[in-house]
Amino acid sequence: MMEKKEREFLTVPPFECAWPKDLKFREAGRGCVAFEAFARNDVTLVFRENVGSQHYHYKRDNSPHYTVILGSHRNRRLKIEVDGKAVVDVEGVGLCCSSAFQSYWISIYDGLISIGKGRYPFQNIVFQWLDTNPNCSVRYVGLSSWDKHVGYRNVNVLPLMHNHLSLWKHVDYGDCVREEYREVQLEDELTAYEKWGLENFLESWELSDASFIVGMEERPVPAHKVILASSGNFPLSSSEAVIEVKGVTYSVLHSLLEFIYTGRTQIQESQLTPLMILSLQFEVETLVRQCEETLERLKLNEKLFDSSKTVELSYPSTSPHCCRAFPFGLPVDRQRLKQMHLTGEYTDVNIYIEGGGLVSQPHKIILSLWSVPFAKMFTNGMSETNSSEVLLRDVSPEAFKGMLDFMYSGELNLEVTMESGALLLQLLLLADQFGVTLLHQECCKTLLECLSEDTVCPILQAVSSVQSCKIIEETCERNFSMHFDYCTTASIDFTLLDETTFSNIIRHPDLTVTSEEKVVDAILMWGMKAKNIYGWEVVDGLMIYSTPELLFGERLQSVYDLLSFVRFPIMPSPLLKKFEKSNISRHIPTFDFLVKEAIGYIEHGFSGPEFEQNVRFRLRRSSYKELQYLCDGDSNGVLYFAGTSYGEHQWVNPVLAKTITITASSPPSRFTDSKVLASRTYQGTSFAGPRIEDGHSSAWWMVDIGPDHQLMCNYYTLRQDGSRAYMRSWIIQGSLDGKTWTNLRIHENDQTVCKAGQFASWPVVGPNALRPFRFFRVVLTGPTTDVSNPFNLCICFLELYGYFH
């Protein structure tokens, strides 16, 4: 029995560290580890770029790393260390328990370290700290201890793709954002929503269109038709909607309304029965059940009703939302509420949009619940306060309807918004304009989850001036920087970006580019607000007959400033010589100086602190390695490179070394052998047989270059096996996830392959050649020349070339 218990968890001795192989973030610098720990103190987790040893200890580690210590100083403090230096040391946070396992989670997202307690990751945050100089390379998680044994169990690493936005909204920006944003006062939106809700309108005459007359004293109590009608069955048919309840006391009616408007109430035990009778009268079923259950519980406990004691009744909400946003946490029938929105029942306002006419007939109180600007519009004496008509300008009718749908349901209609990225963006800006914070958060989260290189420029154009969208803006800038080639080649949209945004991209530390020449091209195109894609040679030709002032206009000084961020010294010498003789160099002094400086650096090898510390003289840390096609069957491709452990060892078939994976459309056999395609020896018979996909016969070979690698493919080679089943129609495709495929090159009636054992190679051109992929496959789209087996894909060698990362 004792042995079984020992196997259930991992015990780490003092001053040691365990490095389980599966504790690895999918993406460097971003991930979450959830775990249970049993200790008196010092539950310690280490985050490093590489795996440490069993006898590793963070105090002796000189390499970059983060250390999080829960229950430091004999279970009195929480500590965070960066490279061995304490940056956080706070009292009474994240303490341990020596009597039982406790659940914790720690996430890292671009330097934002979040720590929480409990079984549910991304909830119950107890502390956060933002590293202003983040280590974005940490990936492996080590489980360590200080001077006592620590037990760990149920340790899991989770991705942050769907959850990182919820972590950022808890950050105190005033202490940890960049200096230029320090003066910006950002409100805690979650707390604001908990303070602002339907309870603000409880028994308020603001926006009320119904009232109760209660008790013998005939006390008037205000209410709102749409709220009452969606919570029960109240007599609201008359225009004045005055409801007489003279047979009950005010305290009972107050409890009924408080339950409807807040989802909770307190009442004396002796008034439970009158409250239940009133709830039955108006069919507030959830409150009836609460009263019945409470009365039954009191009877079972054989308690006498005590008029001095109170009981609490609350609506049993099952909503996953973490705050009491309308209509969650309230006894509101959402279907009934949406139906009243559609029919305009009990409406008290008509919304007109300039150029779009009447777009909706909602209820003022619903709009006011979600939007403080609307609440002020309807209550502070503006023209809309006493009017039933509102005219809005510069608002998209479709986006406004989407915002209203959210206000009445509390949920974002993903089917509608995902069909149109433009609509989602308009909805985001509208939510920001009217202060609908939860809708803004949902739009932000959805935009980040579906962000791609094709959408990054339109999103940047829309959000660059919106302060509340800083996270989206910075994420988009990073995405653009990491896919710089594609974003500046597939579309000309980047030339519409404002100077600050484009400058942030050019200066971004994660800028990834296949050639520094492309950075020059992009700066010149942006400066000219180009309408077409072209290189610096076109600009050089234009300068024969023009001047920089005419070509760049008001962006001329910006071009001068941006050129100083180009890393000319890492360019090849022949290209620099071309630059030196160009018209651009003659007309733009900044360009000429930078080119001459780079040539001098290459030829004379300048040294000194001014060169060593200047980033312009360094290779970009995330640049791609160019694997260039030279000839058929050469040793320059990705599969060969993987077979050498990426240049570290002698070549071994990469399928056997498990550095890549190759699969086929048909099951493995002696003729469908994945090793053959990566082998350097000729195979007489090798084919992938057909399978039925989407009702069609399909045959393919697929290569997975691994979760840590990507390739921008610009060339590929294949070799026909010994048969005469020559391909005529096929495609080569790329994918990031192995499910959604992008066509890289389409072959239709291509008769290049015409004999057994023949090599054949083709370039991949166009914007998709600049998109990085993990998976690649060759797919047969038409019959081969073999009549007996027309859908066997018969190749015995495949190689890919391009820019490898």
Side-chain angles (χ1 to χ4, degrees):
M1 188 70 182
M2 195 68 185
E3 292 180 0
K4 183 178 180 182
K5 185 176 180 181
E6 284 294 323
R7 288 196 297 268
E8 288 177 351
F9 60 88
L10 171 69
T11 301
V12 180
F15 307 108
E16 290 194 5
C17 192
W19 299 91
K21 293 181 179 180
D22 57 340
L23 296 190
K24 176 185 177 184
F25 293 168
R26 290 187 190 175
E27 182 179 5
R30 297 179 175 184
C32 175
V33 57
F35 61 97
E36 294 180 42
F38 175 85
R40 293 182 181 274
N41 51 258
D42 292 306
V43 172
T44 305
L45 273 76
V46 185
F47 301 86
R48 299 179 81 239
E49 183 178 356
N50 300 300
V51 173
S53 65
Q54 177 185 351
H55 299 289
Y56 164 94
H57 201 263
Y58 55 92
K59 289 294 185 183
R60 300 189 295 270
D61 189 359
N62 295 321
S63 63
H65 67 282
Y66 289 123
T67 306
V68 178
I69 307 172
L70 304 172
S72 178
H73 292 72
R74 296 190 178 180
N75 204 29
R76 291 197 295 269
R77 311 184 73 83
L78 165 71
K79 290 188 69 175
I80 299 179
E81 296 182 356
V82 178
D83 305 338
K85 295 180 181 179
V87 294
V88 170
D89 189 352
V90 294
E91 187 175 0
V93 177
L95 302 183
C96 309
C97 174
S98 60
S99 61
F101 276 94
Q102 280 187 297
S103 300
Y104 306 89
W105 60 267
I106 301 173
S107 75
I108 298 180
Y109 185 89
D110 291 350
L112 175 64
I113 298 179
S114 304
I115 301 166
K117 294 186 74 172
R119 296 177 58 192
Y120 303 102
F122 317 113
Q123 298 182 25
N124 300 322
I125 296 175
V126 297
F127 190 81
Q128 285 188 299
W129 176 75
L130 180 61
D131 187 356
T132 55
N133 185 26
N135 181 344
C136 295
S137 300
V138 294
R139 195 157 201 174
Y140 290 89
V141 182
L143 308 176
S144 187
S145 67
W146 179 240
D147 59 349
K148 289 182 173 63
H149 287 74
V150 177
Y152 293 93
R153 73 180 184 188
N154 295 329
V155 186
N156 294 289
V157 171
L158 310 170
L160 282 178
M161 180 175 61
H162 300 289
N163 301 287
H164 68 275
L165 188 64
S166 63
L167 299 173
W168 279 98
K169 66 188 179 190
H170 295 279
V171 177
D172 183 357
Y173 285 83
D175 292 334
C176 55
V177 292
R178 294 198 305 264
E179 194 67 33
E180 57 264 38
Y181 301 138
R182 285 193 182 273
E183 297 180 1
V184 178
Q185 299 298 317
L186 294 179
E187 182 182 23
D188 187 333
E189 296 168 345
L190 184 61
T191 303
Y193 255 102
E194 291 186 342
K195 291 179 178 178
W196 178 257
L198 189 56
E199 60 189 285
N200 293 83
F201 294 92
L202 173 63
E203 296 186 23
S204 170
W205 290 102
E206 296 283 12
L207 306 179
S208 66
D209 52 2
S211 63
F212 292 85
I213 303 298
V214 60
M216 298 306 295
E217 69 275 20
E218 297 186 355
R219 176 175 176 174
V221 179
H224 305 81
K225 290 182 180 179
V226 65
I227 303 301
L228 296 178
S230 59
S231 305
N233 185 10
F234 293 82
L236 303 169
S237 56
S238 65
S239 58
E240 296 181 357
V242 178
I243 307 169
E244 295 188 3
V245 284
K246 296 181 181 180
V248 299
T249 62
Y250 164 73
S251 60
V252 172
L253 176 66
H254 172 77
S255 290
L256 173 73
L257 293 177
E258 187 177 41
F259 186 82
I260 291 173
Y261 278 69
T262 70
R264 61 196 182 278
T265 189
Q266 287 185 336
I267 193 169
Q268 292 179 346
E269 290 182 2
S270 59
Q271 293 181 325
L272 267 172
T273 299
L275 179 59
M276 183 178 70
I277 294 172
L278 188 64
S279 304
L280 279 168
Q281 178 184 344
F282 296 126
E283 300 178 18
V284 184
E285 296 177 359
T286 51
L287 183 53
V288 172
R289 287 195 294 271
Q290 289 292 306
C291 291
E292 289 175 339
E293 291 171 5
T294 304
L295 286 168
E296 187 66 27
R297 189 164 56 250
L298 291 174
K299 289 179 182 178
L300 288 174
N301 292 335
E302 296 181 348
K303 286 187 176 181
L304 295 175
F305 289 120
D306 187 340
S307 59
S308 64
K309 289 187 177 181
T310 61
V311 293
E312 183 169 332
L313 307 174
S314 60
Y315 176 70
S317 174
T318 57
S319 168
H321 286 239
C322 59
C323 60
R324 298 188 301 274
F326 182 82
F328 298 104
L330 301 173
V332 171
D333 185 333
R334 276 182 276 169
Q335 292 301 321
R336 172 74 173 127
L337 189 66
K338 287 190 271 188
Q339 185 64 27
M340 285 189 284
H341 175 216
L342 293 174
T343 61
E345 189 176 6
Y346 305 128
T347 181
D348 54 0
V349 63
N350 297 324
I351 303 291
Y352 295 87
I353 291 181
E354 191 174 56
L358 178 66
V359 295
S360 183
Q361 294 178 299
H363 305 85
K364 287 184 178 181
I365 187 172
I366 303 298
L367 272 62
S368 301
L369 285 173
W370 287 98
S371 167
V372 174
F374 270 124
K376 291 180 177 179
M377 182 188 299
F378 296 139
T379 60
N380 68 355
M382 296 174 64
S383 59
E384 291 83 2
T385 302
N386 300 313
S387 172
S388 61
E389 295 186 353
V390 173
L391 176 63
L392 301 177
R393 295 180 173 86
D394 300 323
V395 170
S396 161
E398 291 77 15
F400 189 80
K401 290 177 182 177
M403 184 173 74
L404 285 179
D405 288 341
F406 182 85
M407 288 177 166
Y408 279 84
S409 67
E411 297 174 334
L412 184 63
N413 188 335
L414 291 178
E415 287 188 10
V416 174
T417 53
M418 293 303 289
E419 287 178 2
S420 172
L423 178 60
L424 181 61
L425 200 53
Q426 291 171 356
L427 202 55
L428 170 72
L429 300 178
L430 199 62
D432 178 76
Q433 178 183 344
F434 287 101
V436 187
T437 310
L438 287 181
L439 175 59
H440 185 275
Q441 292 175 1
E442 287 296 310
C443 290
C444 284
K445 183 179 73 171
T446 306
L447 273 174
L448 289 173
E449 288 176 355
C450 64
L451 183 67
S452 71
E453 306 89 83
D454 292 314
T455 61
V456 65
C457 279
I459 293 175
L460 273 172
Q461 292 173 48
V463 306
S464 59
S465 60
V466 181
Q467 183 61 42
S468 61
C469 296
K470 280 299 174 186
I471 293 176
I472 290 183
E473 182 181 4
E474 292 175 3
T475 304
C476 287
E477 288 173 355
R478 184 173 186 266
N479 183 283
F480 189 116
S481 301
M482 296 181 69
H483 302 92
F484 190 85
D485 286 51
Y486 181 80
C487 291
T488 56
T489 305
S491 168
I492 206 68
D493 288 348
F494 75 94
T495 62
L496 303 176
L497 298 176
D498 61 76
E499 178 185 353
T500 301
T501 301
F502 189 65
S503 177
N504 289 341
I505 293 168
I506 294 295
R507 294 184 295 165
H508 203 286
D510 291 332
L511 192 146
T512 303
V513 64
T514 55
S515 165
E516 202 68 17
E517 182 181 0
K518 292 186 179 295
V519 182
V520 176
D521 294 342
I523 291 173
L524 296 177
M525 281 190 286
W526 177 85
M528 292 180 61
K529 299 181 182 178
K531 305 298 183 184
N532 298 296
I533 302 292
Y534 48 72
W536 65 270
E537 297 95 337
V538 173
V539 183
D540 189 60
L542 292 173
M543 284 195 177
I544 298 175
Y545 308 103
S546 188
T547 65
E549 290 77 11
L550 292 174
L551 289 176
F552 301 116
E554 74 277 6
R555 289 186 173 181
L556 178 60
Q557 185 58 49
S558 300
V559 170
Y560 290 170
D561 295 339
L562 291 170
L563 285 172
S564 64
F565 297 107
V566 179
R567 302 187 182 186
F568 287 97
I570 69 173
M571 293 183 180
S573 183
L575 177 59
L576 291 172
K577 294 292 186 181
K578 289 183 181 179
F579 280 160
E580 186 181 31
K581 297 176 182 178
S582 68
N583 296 311
I584 299 175
S585 194
R586 284 196 291 272
H587 286 83
I588 300 180
T590 302
F591 187 88
D592 184 58
F593 169 79
L594 292 169
V595 169
K596 284 183 167 57
E597 178 192 55
I599 292 174
Y601 176 77
I602 292 173
E603 293 181 349
H604 304 293
F606 298 146
S607 61
E610 67 273 20
F611 295 101
E612 295 171 1
Q613 298 175 7
N614 194 326
V615 295
R616 290 192 295 106
F617 293 83
R618 301 180 198 163
L619 290 171
R620 296 192 185 275
R621 67 176 185 179
S622 55
S623 292
Y624 284 77
K625 178 179 179 62
E626 185 176 7
L627 302 175
Q628 187 176 6
Y629 168 82
L630 294 179
C631 62
D632 295 341
D634 62 23
S635 300
N636 291 340
V638 172
L639 274 67
Y640 188 89
F641 190 49
T644 63
S645 298
Y646 311 107
E648 297 295 327
H649 304 105
Q650 291 293 321
W651 185 83
V652 175
N653 189 307
V655 174
L656 293 174
K658 296 184 179 180
T659 50
I660 66 167
T661 303
I662 299 179
T663 53
S665 51
S666 56
S669 70
R670 62 186 180 131
F671 300 124
T672 306
D673 186 351
S674 59
K675 299 188 299 296
V676 170
L677 255 66
S679 173
R680 312 299 293 176
T681 57
Y682 172 70
Q683 185 82 8
T685 304
S686 171
F687 63 84
R691 65 187 295 180
I692 302 299
E693 294 181 349
D694 298 326
H696 300 284
S697 183
S698 177
W700 45 261
W701 287 98
M702 181 174 70
V703 177
D704 175 5
I705 62 175
D708 297 330
H709 300 106
Q710 292 182 336
L711 173 73
M712 290 189 284
C713 180
N714 60 20
Y715 230 95
Y716 81 100
T717 299
L718 54 79
R719 189 179 191 184
Q720 176 72 28
D721 73 351
S723 70
R724 296 184 178 181
Y726 309 136
M727 296 187 300
R728 291 295 178 257
S729 298
W730 74 96
I731 53 178
I732 182 166
Q733 299 175 315
S735 172
L736 284 170
D737 57 8
K739 298 175 182 178
T740 304
W741 295 91
T742 299
N743 292 338
L744 301 179
R745 183 177 176 116
I746 300 174
H747 299 261
E748 293 182 356
N749 196 27
D750 186 332
Q751 301 186 29
T752 303
V753 180
C754 55
K755 58 183 180 181
Q758 176 189 351
F759 280 105
S761 302
W762 295 268
V764 176
V765 296
N768 287 336
L770 298 171
R771 298 187 72 168
F773 297 107
R774 168 185 168 179
F775 299 89
F776 296 86
R777 69 176 185 176
V778 179
V779 184
L780 194 64
T781 57
T784 66
T785 56
D786 185 354
V787 178
S788 59
N789 295 291
F791 284 98
N792 280 350
L793 176 53
C794 302
I795 57 175
C796 62
F797 176 82
L798 177 65
E799 186 58 281
L800 306 166
Y801 303 85
Y803 295 97
F804 181 75
H805 179 51

